[in-house]
């Protein structure tokens, strides 16, 4: 798993403690091993991870890959001294990013860059990654932890790299999205993994909130709890649709840039989408708190945040109810939020 | 390629400048596109990168994957304000890490976490990645750049994620390494990508060198130039051996931990290796400068640094000369540096 920079007293004096890193990794090895599948060939600790493609299952396999970071949501974790959820954030974010193309996620790798290796932070982060992988049948096949005292100070960064597989003739591209299709929105539970630089500036710097504050708007949650709410993984819903051969003609994961920037990424020429913001059911109240505290224009809010929609599915209008049932049966809430129109690959939102 | 956190004036005020990032990415798009191969299906900019496995070429494909960072070699780059080589470092480091298992590198993804997006740093880093990929026939299939003003300050981190493919029955595992085999060392040109926290502490903090200093020991090079010397990619040598069906029974990439820690990772039960330090030809003089400046024990030097050996091949003794020829014909220097003995998966070095 971790490949540190050599065992050495001189090194330890330079701020890099290999023995501690090795010990902490041992503490979570069981949870990492629990994610292994028969397709994984190498033991943990080799130079590279080995994953055998099962050609009895995949006829024309296409690897679908993505790399991403948790961003400054990590600073919320630090403010709360709570590190067990950020592993879920990065794994789930990564899986969603490839699920939109119809890929079955198969393996994941983590990178932790950190100023000072420490417990239980390191085990909490890695355990979160392992548990999130396990929950979706994904193997945590490798990773790297780099202790860099001069560079990260007291901070750390968490990066994930996901790989999935899809049959070449079953890649979801969005090219079949047509005027008349409807947009189903899967509800998010918070900011997911985007918009934290703005949220922190507004809530902490401008409005003066502390992570432990519980403004009435958050209905009992603290500011920290609302912000750190883990990114959900929507793969189970996508998988249900694929298994049922449901006509899922396009999927957009709503990350940074919100509906405005993410939906056009999958739209074919000649179509646009018209969303109705009022159709979004029970958006997490953290969004209105940010908007009010920052006096931010609703248009800008939708440009930065997911605003309560974690993923958008484009489906034929006459199959919308069936699509909603599939999503709900997979354990998520969802609603119809928009319509595909003739257009120029642009998104309009009635705010 | 890059997925930033939404286009927004409020966001820009919070320190995240999406438009600049998008513009800078455009400047290097040509060099990234130049790495594409026919196996790559998606255009740059999709949610995930798509790579089709060529089943006319691979009968039982095993994916070999690794993630790694450049570590605090990045701080040398910052001290020199020279960012065109670190992309080569991460790509070459990653490729070597999977070449040791016999994998042909096929695609790569980068992650850049940065405090303040800026030019030409960003283009230099990404161009380095793209050019290094291109040189080895690897596709730069995706990546992520995250501007995190509150977290990285003036620093940045660079992480790479490599994927290769190997036939299941041709994975190089080291299990055929036997007493009597010899160890061939491929010469490194410097620290590669490991040991920089110690090197910086000794050379800058303790000895008081500046990056521009040119101590006589470095034969004309500055301290900065010697330290930033790019990590070489040894894949072409490995590929030549594989193409020639040369009996390459084990390969170790000498990263952090040096010969002591990296060689045992591939040794089977019942064997050890005895290296002769004096056999290493022309070790880069930066190592003796560090050793002298830090008054570091030779044993410790070999525990932290590669000491002039970038990669070790284990080959039957009667094929050693042929192995050396293959390496030299691929453009690297090499020499016989040790012998496999009966042992307990341990490395001994006559210093």
């Amino acid at each position: 798993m971790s490949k540190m920079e050599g065992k050495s007293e001189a090194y330890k004096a330079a701020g890099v403690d290999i023995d501690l890193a090795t010990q902490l990794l041992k503490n979570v090895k069981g949870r990492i091993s629990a994610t292994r599948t028969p397709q994984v060939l190498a033991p943990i600790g080799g130079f590279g991870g080995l994953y055998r493609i099962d050609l009895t299952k995949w006829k024309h396999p296409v690897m679908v890959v993505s790399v991403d970071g948790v961003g400054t949501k990590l600073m919320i974790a630090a403010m709360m001294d709570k590190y067990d959820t950020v592993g879920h954030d990065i794994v789930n974010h990564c899986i969603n990013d490839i699920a939109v193309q119809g890929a079955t996620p198969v393996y994941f790798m983590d990178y932790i860059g950190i100023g000072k290796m420490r417990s239980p932070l390191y085990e909490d982060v890695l355990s979160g990654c392992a548990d999130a992988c396990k929950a979706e049948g994904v193997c945590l096949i490798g990773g790297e932890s780099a202790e860099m005292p001069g560079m990260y100070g007291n901070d750390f960064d968490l990066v994930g790299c996901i790989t999935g597989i899809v049959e070449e003739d079953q890649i979801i591209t969005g090219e079949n999205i047509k005027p008349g299709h409807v947009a189903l929105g899967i509800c998010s539970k918070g900011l997911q993994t985007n918009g934290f630089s703005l949220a922190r500036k507004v809530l902490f710097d401008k409005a003066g909130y502390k992570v432990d504050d519980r403004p009435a708007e958050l209905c009992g949650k603290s500011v920290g709890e609302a912000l750190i709410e883990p990114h959900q993984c929507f793969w189970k819903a996508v998988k249900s649709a694929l298994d049922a051969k449901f006509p899922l003609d396009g999927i957009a994961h709503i990350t940074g840039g919100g509906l405005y920037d993410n939906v056009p990424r999958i739209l074919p020429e000649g179509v646009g989408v018209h969303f109705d913001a009022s159709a979004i059911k029970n958006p997490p109240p953290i969004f209105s708190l940010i908007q009010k505290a920052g006096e931010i224009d609703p248009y800008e809010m939708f440009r930065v945040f997911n605003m309560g929609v974690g993923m958008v599915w484009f489906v034929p209008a006459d199959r919308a109810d069936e699509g909603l049932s599939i999503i709900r049966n997979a354990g998520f809430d969802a609603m119809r939020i928009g319509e595909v129109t003739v257009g120029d690959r642009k998104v309009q939102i009635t705010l």
Side-chain angles (χ1 to χ4, degrees), chain A:
Chain A
M1 229 16 230
S2 177
K3 183 167 53 58
M4 288 300 198
E5 294 189 309
K7 198 176 292 180
S8 154
E9 283 309 306
Y11 226 134
K12 196 165 174 177
V16 181
D17 189 343
I18 315 299
D19 293 334
L20 175 62
T22 307
Q23 181 54 48
L24 300 188
L25 183 60
K26 272 190 191 147
N27 297 344
V28 289
K29 223 153 192 171
R31 284 160 91 164
I32 294 170
S33 298
T35 69
R36 287 169 61 94
T37 68
Q39 300 313 116
V40 178
L41 301 182
I44 296 168
F47 281 91
L50 298 177
Y51 185 90
R52 179 178 42 198
I53 306 290
D54 183 352
L55 295 182
T56 63
K57 181 171 177 187
W58 303 100
K59 298 306 166 199
H60 298 96
V62 171
M63 312 307 287
V64 187
V65 296
S66 186
V67 62
D68 224 305
V70 181
T72 57
K73 191 171 190 173
L74 293 172
M75 298 180 81
I76 309 294
M79 292 166 86
M80 298 177 74
D81 196 25
K82 174 175 163 53
Y83 298 101
D84 58 341
T85 56
V86 291
H88 293 262
D89 283 313
I90 189 61
V91 170
N92 293 346
H93 180 113
C94 282
I95 292 177
N96 289 347
D97 263 353
I98 62 166
V100 299
Q101 289 165 312
T104 298
V106 291
Y107 57 81
F108 176 87
M109 291 193 288
D110 67 277
Y111 169 86
I112 300 174
I114 189 164
K116 181 72 195 149
M117 181 60 64
R118 55 202 187 268
S119 178
L121 181 153
Y122 184 68
E123 299 103 307
D124 284 351
V125 172
L126 262 189
S127 299
C129 290
D131 294 353
C133 283
K134 180 75 182 167
E136 305 297 333
V138 169
C139 175
L140 179 47
I141 201 173
E144 166 74 4
S145 301
E147 190 172 11
M148 295 188 279
M151 222 171 92
Y152 276 96
N154 206 41
D155 289 329
F156 73 106
D157 201 358
L158 174 60
V159 178
C161 178
I162 188 77
T163 299
I165 309 179
V166 63
E167 283 293 338
E168 187 169 355
D169 61 359
Q170 286 166 36
I171 300 169
I172 300 174
T173 61
E175 64 188 359
N176 295 326
I177 299 174
K178 292 180 183 63
H181 270 46
V182 300
L184 309 181
I186 306 183
C187 295
S188 73
K189 291 189 170 176
L191 272 60
Q192 302 201 134
T193 318
N194 289 94
F196 282 88
S197 289
L198 181 55
R200 287 184 301 111
K201 189 180 165 77
V202 164
L203 295 177
F204 303 129
D205 300 350
K206 184 160 187 236
Y209 284 116
K210 307 289 176 208
V211 282
D212 292 331
D213 287 348
R214 296 180 187 275
E217 292 93 329
L218 295 184
C219 314
K221 272 194 182 174
S222 73
V223 171
E225 286 162 0
L227 287 172
I228 208 168
E229 178 68 38
H231 199 138
Q232 291 170 282
C233 180
F234 303 120
W235 164 238
K236 284 192 173 76
V238 175
K239 182 178 188 307
S240 295
L242 298 177
D243 287 349
K245 305 208 181 302
F246 178 78
L248 197 36
D249 287 326
I251 312 179
H253 182 202
I254 308 307
T255 61
L259 292 169
Y260 281 119
D261 281 359
N262 288 287
V263 169
R265 293 164 78 176
I266 61 160
L267 294 181
E269 292 297 325
V271 307
V273 184
H274 189 169
F275 289 105
D276 177 4
S278 70
I280 302 172
K281 274 197 294 187
N282 306 319
I286 187 72
F287 295 116
S288 52
L289 190 72
I290 293 169
Q291 181 166 6
K292 201 178 75 176
E295 300 173 79
I296 300 170
D297 183 88
Y299 169 80
E300 276 214 47
M301 288 296 293
F302 272 86
R303 287 214 81 94
V304 175
F305 299 104
N306 70 66
M307 300 305 285
V309 179
M311 181 177 267
V312 177
W313 288 12
F314 290 97
V315 306
D318 60 354
R319 308 292 291 272
D321 288 344
E322 190 184 342
L324 291 173
S325 294
I326 288 173
I327 296 169
R328 289 172 188 148
N329 288 338
F332 306 100
D333 203 359
M335 61 272 145
R336 187 170 163 157
I337 57 170
E339 295 196 349
V340 179
T341 60
V342 172
D344 194 18
R345 302 187 64 218
K346 292 227 168 25
V347 161
Q348 280 192 300
I349 306 177
T350 300
L351 300 167

